[in-house]
Amino acid sequence: SGTTNILLLGSDQPVGDNGVKRTDTMIIVSINREGPTASMISLPRDLYVYIPGGTMSRLNSAVTLGGVNLLKQTILYYFGVPIHYFARVDFAGFEDVGDAVGGVVVAVNCQFKDWKIKSPELDPEDEENWYVHELDPGIYEMDGEMALWYARSRLMSDDFDRGRRQQQLLRALLDQGVKLDLVPQAPVLWNTYKDTIETDMDIGRMLQIASIAPGIRENGIQNLYLLGKTEPWVVPEINAQVQLPVWEGPGKMQETFQRLFLPPALNKASRAPIVVEIINASGNEEMAQLAAENLAWYGFEPVYESPTAEDPPQTTITYLGPTFKGAHAGRLAWIFRAETADIRLQPTTGSSVDYRVHLAPDYNPCLNYLE
């Protein structure tokens, strides 16, 4: 009750093409209108499931067999999630969306590299037209073309990490849309870009959801994945490599899909934010931004301060409060690759911040968001 589930699809064929569609990207966004908050979960395309009608196949083949409606039925049958609306975008449409908001700011917290074509007009079948493009940890302003590369690449990573990067880009698009106050422009934007997006949602419902976008951004978004909740298998006779869902058990798929309908643990709609003050003594300005991105991703509220005169030799975390109860100390320690026991307790009353983190040159922003 009170949720709207939207299935986001990415296709390598143009929207409007009636041919066979390969749907490589499937993300469910569950919007809790009462929060308002939202949760996202990426569905791997190689999940081997029962498709209503009597077929066992990869999840993304449902669109080929019976269109988006059959994919909706499959998701409801297998995962118990009713899909109220869908939106499908092709490559050109995704680039258009990225460019329409003036590009997006993306925090790359770990080095990322993958194959990239030297220029869009070159023949992709000629291997001489490709090179390995690398992104070191840092803050990047990505236009539509770069965002598409970041969203699609998986030759040097995997489908699970690609799903994480796609969710990251969706959050970046939300940030930029709210920052530019695009909600009042939604009808004009839709009229301009409707030929590159296919959806069964009418403009009235779009405006209703768009109107709560600022609140969702403020209160928090939960990002969910299925890594570690599947097992590899080879289909006999055809030797297809697929992933079998592991439904029951601690931390497995059933638990993850139940969380899809729950608000984020640190959502600001139901509790005061946990404020983390970052004092950057790392010698690199972008390290503070990357630390802030990691904190925001997991529901904390970061604030910045200038370096102090006495900078620590290593990154330190101090809690400014009476006890750790309700302070999510374990989660914060994990973000900074520390143990809960490493957090210093400084009993304080009336502090405007809950934690103070001194970033030293040893700070490493690389986190595995899929853990």
Side-chain angles (χ1 to χ4, degrees), residues 235-253:
V235 182
E237 298 181 1
I238 61 174
N239 292 324
Q241 295 184 349
V242 297
Q243 296 288 328
L244 294 180
V246 180
W247 186 251
E248 295 181 335
K252 298 305 180 183
M253 205 172 279

Side-chain angles (χ1 to χ4, degrees), residues 31-256:
I31 297 172
N32 183 325
R33 301 186 302 275
E34 297 172 359
T37 59
S39 298
M40 286 191 274
I41 188 167
S42 298
L43 304 179
R45 63 178 188 169
D46 291 333
L47 278 179
Y48 197 65
V49 299
Y50 174 78
I51 296 176
T55 304
M56 292 292 298
S57 188
R58 286 186 174 94
L59 181 62
N60 73 335
S61 68
V63 174
T64 304
L65 295 171
V68 176
N69 282 336
L70 183 58
L71 179 57
K72 287 182 177 182
Q73 292 172 30
T74 304
I75 291 172
L76 177 60
Y77 175 86
Y78 216 93
F79 306 115
V81 179
I83 300 298
H84 303 112
Y85 303 100
F86 84 94
R88 174 163 50 193
V89 66
D90 57 28
F91 293 163
F94 186 83
E95 283 195 40
D96 286 346
V97 170
D99 290 334
V101 297
V104 291
V105 177
V106 178
V108 178
N109 67 333
C110 304
Q111 185 189 59
F112 178 75
K113 59 183 180 179
D114 212 310
W115 290 95
K116 188 175 187 295
I117 197 163
K118 295 176 181 176
S119 185
E121 70 274 3
L122 295 177
D123 180 8
E125 301 299 323
D126 185 350
E127 62 181 29
E128 295 296 323
N129 293 332
W130 293 82
Y131 74 105
V132 175
H133 187 62
E134 297 186 18
L135 298 178
D136 289 326
I139 307 297
Y140 293 87
E141 294 186 11
M142 297 186 181
D143 60 12
E145 187 267 334
M146 179 60 73
L148 178 63
W149 171 78
Y150 190 67
R152 289 192 63 202
S153 299
R154 74 182 187 106
L155 294 176
M156 300 179 75
S157 57
D158 57 38
D159 204 32
F160 292 104
D161 186 67
R162 180 168 69 166
R164 175 195 66 80
R165 284 180 272 114
Q166 290 167 350
Q167 291 194 27
Q168 184 184 17
L169 284 166
L170 287 173
R171 287 178 67 144
L173 283 167
L174 173 64
D175 286 344
Q176 185 73 343
V178 172
K179 176 179 160 185
L180 297 178
D181 194 23
L182 293 182
V183 173
Q185 301 178 46
V188 175
L189 287 169
W190 172 241
N191 191 55
T192 302
Y193 295 102
K194 62 184 178 183
D195 292 336
T196 57
I197 299 173
E198 179 185 0
T199 183
D200 56 357
M201 184 184 297
D202 59 55
I203 186 65
R205 181 49 60 94
M206 284 185 204
L207 289 171
Q208 287 178 353
I209 292 177
S211 68
I212 63 174
I216 290 173
R217 179 176 179 265
E218 174 67 21
N219 292 331
I221 297 172
Q222 180 175 221
N223 298 87
L224 302 172
Y225 314 99
L226 297 180
L227 181 68
K229 294 145 188 162
T230 67
E231 58 184 34
W233 189 61
V234 177
V235 182
E237 298 181 1
I238 61 174
N239 292 324
Q241 295 184 349
V242 297
Q243 296 288 328
L244 294 180
V246 180
W247 186 251
E248 295 181 335
K252 298 305 180 183
M253 205 172 279
Q254 182 180 26
E255 185 179 293
T256 302

